[in-house]
Amino acid sequence: MSKFTGYRCSICGTEYLPGQVTYTCPKDGGNLDIEMDYEAIKKKYHYEDITSRRDFSLWRYEPLLPVSEPKGEATPLHLAGWTPVFKLPRLADQLGLKHLWLKDESRNPSASFKDRASAIVVARAQEIKAEVVVTASTGNAGAALACMAAAVGQKAIIFAPKSAPPAKVAQLLIFGAKVILVDGTYDDAFDLTVKASQEFGWYCRNTGYNPFTVEGKKTGAFEIWEWWIEAHRDWHQKDSPLDDHPPLTIFVSVGDGNIISGIHKGFKDLLHLGWIPNMPRIIGVQAEGSAAIANAFHANTEVITPVSAVTIADSISVDLPRDGVRAVRAARDTNGTYITVSDDEIIKSIAELGQMGVFAEPAGATAYAGLAKATGSGAVGNDDPVLVLNTGSGLKDVRAAMQAVQSAPIIEPTLEAVKKIL
Ligand SMILES: *Cc1c(COP(=O)(O)O)cnc(C)c1O
Ligand SMILES: [Zn+2]
């Protein structure tokens, strides 16, 4: 067991033992990084011990995780992760790129990237025998927690803003969580959840507060790494030398900054283990109306100044991002950058991805919108291999999707009527 050796504050660097703290740094409120015994992992495992595993879920990375997979039959919790990557050749042509792939996180059990975090947090909750897990959520984190909790019979309580899209609220209710809608913003729900968890002794999953969410999200990076090894092999066969291309550039949409921090953490883990030669570039994309992290990045500071967030992309609508510092570093330390996009650009991207057979919610399409902008501005070169994440399914927000298309005509059930509209 215990490759999980403790925590380290991302701000002041103070180290804590596993039993010493639960959420953020008691000194300065900084996000805590989970520390693992990389030397022990390195001694015990060769990377092929991982890549040859037959477990096609995020639990194939259990040796690199600070929790154990809950025992029992395959449930949605056991099946989170291992999402597909595929090429987008026509969009690549349109953008003048040679290599463009999409990793489709809408294929997760509750249809968003958040399942990765919630699977790990629920596993942790079971280990510490928490009776109740609670989270604040714009919708997806809650849906993911409710889904994973339902899968193993764990009690879950979700606080969401009352403006959350109905499909997400339906998921929360169907998964049997106790759902409390807050007459306020996501940030209001966040603060209330922290207070309630302190008052009632609930285990709090809040994004950018509970250190285990990043450990789930880093599995996205591990999967990209495994896929990249295979993609390299293909290039080899086509007589294209392994290192004769720029590093992979990854586009991630950013709200609280926890996904981008998780992707960064995953690649840092791999670097520590000596299993990758270098870091990919990580580019964060925010909505113009919710750009606190992008603002800090471009002002060259780690001080995150809150905004009054307004965007159609509800999953990334955040006044005060809770994982802003690490999110700034994820781009800065990987030679990446931050890009902001308008709601119009996001809506246009929903339509463009749809033309490729991918249905993304607004926050899911935001990464692609950022790429479209980056190719125009030169932030990404034509030879750069690029991977965009679709972080959530379009079925979660049908009202937003309908803004990306023209509504269908309604006709009399006659052939004449068909001829008229063709
Ligand atoms: C939560 C979420 C994001 C952003 O993740 P953060 O950790 O808040 O930056 C992006 N897309 C979707 C669909 C999400 O649910
Ligand atoms: Zn600290």
Side-chain angles (χ1 to χ4, degrees):
M1 243 292 319
S2 258
K3 37 199 162 115
F4 168 35
T5 54
Y7 306 92
R8 186 191 186 86
C9 174
S10 59
I11 306 288
C12 68
T14 304
E15 293 186 283
Y16 301 94
L17 292 169
Q20 234 176 335
V21 287
T22 310
Y23 302 116
T24 50
C25 177
K27 291 185 185 165
D28 52 17
N31 293 113
L32 298 177
D33 287 318
I34 282 183
E35 302 263 282
M36 307 272 288
D37 187 349
Y38 296 106
E39 286 312 312
I41 296 170
K42 223 151 108 177
K43 260 191 214 132
K44 191 155 172 208
Y45 299 95
H46 184 260
Y47 82 83
E48 283 177 337
D49 296 329
I50 306 293
T51 59
S52 63
R53 291 186 119 202
R54 304 287 308 158
D55 185 349
F56 298 113
S57 75
L58 57 76
W59 295 106
R60 71 198 271 104
Y61 308 111
E62 193 181 29
L64 311 181
L65 295 173
V67 294
S68 301
E69 179 174 7
K71 301 251 177 313
E73 293 295 308
T75 70
L77 180 140
H78 298 86
L79 297 169
W82 202 249
T83 57
V85 176
F86 45 86
K87 276 206 157 182
L88 296 174
R90 276 177 288 143
L91 288 182
D93 283 350
Q94 213 168 294
L95 298 174
L97 293 172
K98 283 204 187 119
H99 304 286
L100 171 60
W101 295 269
L102 180 133
K103 183 167 176 65
D104 192 6
E105 291 292 316
S106 73
R107 313 284 190 98
N108 274 296
S110 85
S112 88
F113 194 99
K114 298 289 197 296
D115 283 340
R116 297 180 184 278
S118 290
I120 300 303
V121 170
V122 169
R124 176 67 179 169
Q126 304 243 298
E127 283 181 359
I128 62 172
K129 304 200 162 38
E131 201 179 312
V132 173
V133 190
V134 64
T135 196
S137 172
T138 61
N140 286 341
L145 175 60
C147 178
M148 299 299 139
V152 294
Q154 171 83 49
K155 261 195 207 134
I157 303 178
I158 317 295
F159 288 84
K162 70 168 202 237
S163 60
K168 296 182 183 180
V169 177
Q171 282 186 296
L172 302 176
L173 293 166
I174 288 292
F175 292 136
K178 181 159 188 59
V179 183
I180 300 168
L181 298 179
V182 178
D183 188 5
T185 62
Y186 166 63
D187 294 75
D188 295 327
F190 190 104
D191 293 336
L192 181 59
T193 305
V194 170
K195 279 188 209 141
S197 69
Q198 284 163 355
E199 179 78 16
F200 305 115
W202 299 332
Y203 185 49
C204 185
R205 178 218 174 275
N206 276 13
T207 298
Y209 182 66
N210 187 314
F212 283 84
T213 59
V214 153
E215 294 298 303
K217 287 170 175 179
K218 78 181 185 183
T219 61
F222 295 160
E223 288 175 22
I224 293 170
W225 162 67
E226 280 201 67
W227 157 78
W228 191 228
I229 294 172
E230 289 300 316
H232 263 152
R233 243 176 232 142
D234 284 355
W235 287 14
H236 256 326
Q237 282 163 6
K238 287 179 198 122
D239 230 25
S240 156
L242 191 68
D243 296 312
D244 192 23
H245 60 78
L248 179 66
T249 301
I250 301 169
F251 279 78
V252 191
S253 62
V254 175
D256 269 317
N258 197 244
I259 293 183
I260 195 169
S261 299
I263 297 289
H264 190 206
K265 175 73 169 6
F267 284 111
K268 282 191 289 188
D269 280 3
L270 294 170
L271 214 51
H272 274 137
L273 292 165
W275 292 356
I276 48 168
N278 47 38
M279 270 282 172
R281 288 178 79 199
I282 304 175
I283 297 185
V285 187
Q286 291 207 284
E288 274 171 14
S290 179
I293 296 173
N295 293 344
F297 178 88
H298 289 294
N300 207 6
T301 174
E302 290 188 347
V303 179
I304 311 294
T305 308
V307 298
S308 280
V310 186
T311 170
I312 192 174
D314 64 292
S315 301
I316 51 172
S317 183
V318 183
D319 295 349
L320 176 62
R322 308 294 169 147
D323 210 343
V325 174
R326 291 190 300 190
V328 165
R329 291 175 188 166
R332 189 192 65 201
D333 298 351
T334 65
N335 193 30
T337 187
Y338 269 86
I339 291 167
T340 59
V341 293
S342 67
D343 280 4
D344 283 346
E345 288 170 304
I346 291 171
I347 291 167
K348 187 161 170 264
S349 295
I350 293 175
E352 288 184 346
L353 289 172
Q355 302 288 314
M356 305 299 126
V358 177
F359 193 11
E361 69 166 272
T366 297
Y368 179 78
L371 169 64
K373 205 157 190 177
T375 51
S377 74
V380 167
N382 295 15
D383 290 339
D384 292 358
V386 174
L387 180 134
V388 294
L389 280 176
N390 169 27
T391 40
S393 165
L395 290 173
K396 284 172 170 283
D397 190 352
V398 172
R399 209 173 42 185
M402 291 306 279
Q403 292 186 40
V405 289
Q406 292 199 318
S407 53
I410 299 170
I411 61 162
E412 298 289 323
T414 64
L415 205 49
E416 284 70 50
V418 175
K419 284 179 184 161
K420 215 183 265 172
I421 57 129
L422 284 180

